[in-house]
Amino acid sequence: MGIVQRQSIKNSIVNYVGILLGGLSTLFIYPLDWELYGSIQFSLSTALLLNALFSLGSFSLVNKYFPYFKKRSIKGFLSLVFTYSIINIFAVAIILYIFKTPFEWLLIKGGFDIKEIYRNLFIILPIALMYVFINILRSQSFNFGRIVYPDLISNFSLKLIVPLIILLSYFLSIDYIISGWILILYHLIIILLLAWYIHTLGGIDFSMSIFSKISRKKHLEMTQYMLYNALNHVGNILVYKIDLVMIGLLLSTTKVGYYSIFLFLSVVIEIPTKAVFQITAPMVSQALEHKEYSKIEKMYKDASANLYIIGVFLFFIIWFNMDIIFQIMTKGEDLVMFKVVFLMLGLTKIIDMATSINFHIISYSKYYKVNTLFIFILAISNIILNYILIGKFDINGAAISTFISMLAFNFLKTIFVYLKFNMQPFGGKLLLITVILLLSIALPYIAPTIFQSYYGSILFTLFFTILFISIVYKLKITAEINAILDKYLVHYFK
């Protein structure tokens, strides 16, 4: 078993344990205080957006240029990246201060509640700054083929700290200020733990002598790459987090809490995606460096087929049982009218999984600047669509906006990769999987009463699971999935 499979499987296990904890919190803890939960999600999402500006893409240098410096045995790579980051932070801070008044005026004119930003600013600002260095350290860990422990330290632990804060508020009545300082301290601890872990891998590489060992031309090249990837990073945040920010500013933090529950459920679908993307990113970078295009194409197709199959399977498992989830959940009746939010967000995740590693192929190639155009289209369309659709359809509009924007974004990237590299990730056998996906979407609308009962949901879920696994196995769509089925399932029925 290769490092991609080992780390992906371990990472998926860790994340699904986190999903289990998050699921229990979603059902029984977060609804205890919708407003506080919504405020936390609003603060973290706004911090991520602000971090995208502060970092200006500095963390993208870690995977892209690590092979270059390693090959030439040049010490001090992290010193260089940290220096770029600190300069970026100061430059952006000055720009934000200068344009603070006109930006506030623009938000007020647009009907945004900027008081919500100032109420949470003591949380947003320090966490946004810490995210800059957390992202760098995580990326450095990926260079050593390690994605499990960074996820344990950061993503998994977040599944513990947020419900803890809600419980402390509910039972001990701690105020919002104390909750905020707990979040700040938590992120500081993450930085220290990541630094310690990377040190054990031999990845803490600081030496100021590096500045005399690289040319001005190389500095310029890295700076250009960093700034172009800053737009990529901002674009991704605008897809995945701007909806939470705009819901908080246009509606309420309570609605942010509602939306975050559906967002959490959709994240269950993309867990394998994160693992595969994280571990393949440096591999794509190195393969492009050595012009191993056949290797990239194989990764592209394998990742697409595997992730699409897994995504569709996880989607219909949740979709068939959505009404049951509402019945079990504390105050679940608050969410019934917003069921379409999960449908749109779930399909968004599946699209991202089906198009696989197209983002990495473009980002680590000589065509990385093209992402600037795609991100510009994505950013503008998503902001406009969110603004219009949230006003018309409440939080349903935010989910529809995310779906439309992500569909267009991945379509553009996939077409570009095909035109420039003659690669596309899809296979004809996946058409039948798409038919199953469409059927699974329609069934709860065709026969809603069946899926509102425990027995109906369970029976349809079992039937679809058996049908789906049988089709995937018989068609032999991917060798990896068939190998897993042979080992863990088919063996027991022989």
Side-chain angles (χ1 to χ4, degrees):
M1 185 180 291
I3 187 171
V4 174
Q5 288 179 305
R6 285 201 312 272
Q7 286 290 301
S8 296
I9 290 171
K10 289 179 182 179
N11 188 255
S12 294
I13 292 171
V14 167
N15 278 281
Y16 276 116
V17 172
I19 287 293
L20 176 62
L21 293 174
L24 293 173
S25 299
T26 295
L27 292 173
F28 306 114
I29 299 177
Y30 297 150
L32 294 174
D33 195 333
W34 285 122
E35 185 177 358
L36 177 58
Y37 178 58
S39 294
I40 291 172
Q41 292 300 324
F42 173 79
S43 297
L44 294 178
S45 298
T46 308
L48 280 170
L49 181 58
L50 190 58
N51 158 71
L53 298 176
F54 278 139
S55 69
L56 286 180
S58 58
F59 73 95
S60 66
L61 297 172
V62 180
N63 290 145
K64 171 66 175 176
Y65 286 98
F66 180 78
Y68 173 87
F69 286 92
K70 182 181 179 181
K71 183 178 179 181
R72 291 159 178 79
S73 301
I74 301 176
K75 300 294 184 181
F77 178 54
L78 281 187
S79 303
L80 185 64
V81 178
F82 271 57
T83 301
Y84 282 153
S85 300
I86 293 169
I87 293 172
N88 292 345
I89 288 170
F90 278 104
V92 171
I94 292 170
I95 292 171
L96 290 176
Y97 180 77
I98 292 172
F99 290 97
K100 174 175 173 287
T101 301
F103 184 63
E104 285 180 353
W105 178 86
L106 187 64
L107 289 176
I108 293 170
K109 282 293 182 181
F112 294 95
D113 182 11
I114 64 169
K115 288 190 230 174
E116 197 61 46
I117 296 176
Y118 283 112
R119 187 174 85 90
N120 295 277
L121 192 60
F122 80 101
I123 303 173
I124 295 169
L125 188 57
I127 291 179
L129 294 172
M130 285 188 281
Y131 274 149
V132 174
F133 301 101
I134 288 172
N135 287 336
I136 292 171
L137 293 171
R138 281 174 56 86
S139 296
Q140 178 70 340
S141 178
F142 302 158
N143 281 328
F144 289 83
R146 298 294 184 269
I147 62 174
V148 178
Y149 287 109
D151 266 1
L152 272 173
I153 293 168
S154 53
N155 295 338
F156 183 83
S157 62
L158 191 62
K159 304 293 191 305
L160 299 174
I161 197 69
V162 174
L164 176 62
I165 292 172
I166 301 294
L167 289 173
L168 288 173
S169 172
Y170 186 77
F171 289 107
L172 300 181
S173 300
I174 65 168
D175 61 26
Y176 183 64
I177 302 298
I178 295 176
S179 299
W181 282 109
I182 292 174
L183 277 175
I184 293 168
L185 179 61
Y186 158 76
H187 283 88
L188 179 59
I189 291 172
I190 286 176
I191 291 178
L192 297 176
L193 289 176
L194 283 173
W196 170 80
Y197 176 65
I198 295 170
H199 173 69
T200 64
L201 299 174
I204 293 295
D205 183 20
F206 290 106
S207 174
M208 300 310 290
S209 64
I210 190 173
F211 292 94
S212 63
K213 295 180 180 178
I214 55 176
S215 65
R216 183 178 177 183
K217 182 180 178 181
K218 198 66 183 178
H219 274 297
L220 182 60
E221 176 193 323
M222 293 177 68
T223 302
Q224 288 178 339
Y225 182 83
M226 177 181 70
L227 294 177
Y228 276 108
N229 275 277
L231 294 177
N232 296 337
H233 186 42
V234 170
N236 280 317
I237 298 299
L238 290 175
V239 169
Y240 292 111
K241 295 299 180 181
I242 195 63
D243 43 9
L244 289 173
V245 175
M246 293 185 73
I247 289 169
L249 296 177
L250 291 171
L251 298 175
S252 67
T253 51
T254 298
K255 290 290 179 69
V256 174
Y258 292 171
Y259 191 86
S260 296
I261 296 298
F262 291 110
L263 193 59
F264 165 78
L265 291 173
S266 71
V267 166
V268 175
I269 298 171
E270 72 168 358
I271 295 279
T273 307
K274 290 183 176 180
V276 172
F277 285 6
Q278 287 171 354
I279 200 66
T280 55
M283 295 177 71
V284 170
S285 176
Q286 292 182 37
L288 283 168
E289 180 83 13
H290 298 96
K291 300 185 178 182
E292 299 171 329
Y293 297 115
S294 60
K295 182 177 180 181
I296 296 171
E297 184 175 16
K298 186 177 185 306
M299 281 192 287
Y300 194 21
K301 287 184 176 294
D302 288 349
S304 174
N306 289 323
L307 292 175
Y308 186 50
I309 289 169
I310 295 170
V312 171
F313 174 70
L314 294 174
F315 171 82
F316 75 68
I317 292 290
I318 299 172
W319 181 241
F320 283 167
N321 295 280
M322 186 62 65
D323 290 312
I324 303 304
I325 292 172
F326 293 150
Q327 293 175 32
I328 297 172
M329 183 186 298
T330 304
K331 300 181 183 179
E333 65 276 5
D334 294 341
L335 304 179
V336 173
M337 65 183 294
F338 300 115
K339 184 178 177 179
V340 73
V341 172
F342 172 77
L343 175 60
M344 292 292 101
L345 294 178
L347 291 176
T348 298
K349 303 301 183 186
I350 290 174
I351 289 169
D352 207 29
M353 297 169 85
T355 53
S356 155
I357 57 174
N358 54 17
F359 176 80
H360 297 307
I361 294 173
I362 298 173
S363 294
Y364 296 130
S365 73
K366 64 181 180 180
Y367 303 110
Y368 67 87
K369 294 180 182 180
V370 173
N371 270 328
T372 304
L373 175 61
F374 296 160
I375 292 295
F376 178 77
I377 295 171
L378 172 69
I380 298 300
S381 65
N382 205 32
I383 291 172
I384 293 173
L385 285 171
N386 265 293
Y387 186 73
I388 295 172
L389 296 178
I390 288 174
K392 288 186 176 181
F393 305 110
D394 207 276
I395 62 174
N396 290 334
I400 295 169
S401 170
T402 297
F403 171 75
I404 294 172
S405 299
M406 201 64 185
L407 178 63
F409 187 50
N410 274 292
F411 175 78
L412 289 172
K413 289 187 294 180
T414 302
I415 292 297
F416 184 83
V417 170
Y418 177 73
L419 292 175
K420 294 298 181 182
F421 296 94
N422 195 29
M423 300 177 192
Q424 61 87 19
F426 310 115
K429 294 179 180 179
L430 294 180
L431 286 175
L432 187 54
I433 304 300
T434 303
V435 171
I436 294 175
L437 171 62
L438 295 175
L439 183 60
S440 69
I441 293 171
L443 279 174
Y445 287 112
I446 295 171
T449 54
I450 293 177
F451 293 93
Q452 288 169 3
S453 72
Y454 288 93
Y455 294 116
S457 293
I458 291 171
L459 285 174
F460 262 91
T461 301
L462 285 174
F463 171 75
F464 252 70
T465 298
I466 294 170
L467 174 66
F468 188 76
I469 291 175
S470 299
I471 290 172
V472 169
Y473 184 75
K474 292 296 183 183
L475 289 179
K476 298 180 179 178
I477 299 175
T478 75
E480 291 84 359
I481 289 180
N482 270 47
I484 292 172
L485 291 175
D486 280 331
K487 183 176 181 180
Y488 296 105
L489 187 60
V490 176
H491 171 75
Y492 294 102
F493 290 93
K494 287 182 178 179

